[in-house]
Amino acid sequence: MILKWTAAWYELDQTIIVGDKDWFYLPSDENNHFFFNELYQSNSFIRKKLEIERITHPVLGNVKGIVTIGLDYTIYLTDGTMLEINAEENPGQIYNSSLAIDDWTFDVEVRILDEAYDIPEDRTLQDAGRRYKALLGLTDASWAKE
């Protein structure tokens, strides 16, 4: 299944990383094939356990992951490039590249593993940060809360 991930910025988006198996918020409307965020959708959502299998963008190509923690987003490309994107004052501005991206919509190939309406919220941002770093092959990251 292909879902769309569109940046709403301001830490309103879900982190997605290839290989991650986690619970994600999706719009409750089954015809809406987007990852849920509060800016573009109503407050009606469901949770599904997904495995992120592939992330692509028409300009950036294959993406390893998009980390949405903090005032800046970090995009990791499969070629090893890391892009830092402003998500607060000038949303969409890339700090460390001359690239200009007009559309921050990504295609995300996922596999549905489970569905639930009541998921215990017993995980911390630290746990997620450790998992994200492992999936991305990082030893350190500015967004990781240790």
Side-chain angles (χ1 to χ4, degrees), residues 2-144:
I2 303 259
L3 296 175
K4 300 284 187 183
W5 184 100
T6 299
W9 311 111
Y10 306 101
E11 249 183 320
L12 296 173
D13 303 295
Q14 299 173 76
T15 292
I16 54 172
I17 300 172
V18 172
D20 198 12
K21 297 176 186 175
D22 201 1
W23 293 96
F24 292 91
Y25 295 93
L26 305 177
S28 57
D29 175 5
E30 292 292 327
N31 296 318
N32 187 338
H33 296 284
F34 281 82
F35 280 85
F36 178 84
N37 66 49
E38 294 177 37
L39 186 61
Y40 296 130
Q41 281 94 26
S42 70
N43 290 330
S44 179
F45 60 84
I46 57 174
R47 294 178 185 105
K48 289 188 180 187
K49 189 168 189 176
L50 306 174
E51 179 177 5
I52 307 295
E53 295 183 328
R54 186 171 187 223
I55 305 168
T56 58
H57 185 271
V59 175
L60 299 174
N62 290 320
V63 175
K64 193 172 184 180
I66 304 170
V67 178
T68 63
I69 300 168
L71 302 180
D72 296 320
Y73 288 6
T74 309
I75 298 177
Y76 297 88
L77 306 182
T78 56
D79 70 2
T81 302
M82 179 185 78
L83 299 173
E84 295 177 89
I85 319 296
N86 184 289
E88 178 87 6
E89 295 168 349
N90 296 302
Q93 176 187 355
I94 304 173
Y95 291 122
N96 59 333
S97 173
S98 61
L99 280 173
I101 307 291
D102 293 325
D103 185 355
W104 289 98
T105 300
F106 295 76
D107 286 332
V108 184
E109 190 173 326
V110 301
R111 185 165 57 99
I112 299 172
L113 303 174
D114 199 358
E115 291 188 35
Y117 291 90
D118 186 28
I119 307 300
E121 297 293 335
D122 59 354
R123 294 170 289 172
T124 67
L125 190 54
Q126 281 183 322
D127 294 334
R130 282 191 286 272
R131 189 174 76 248
Y132 299 156
K133 285 191 321 187
L135 287 165
L136 292 165
L138 303 173
T139 56
D140 190 31
S142 60
W143 45 262

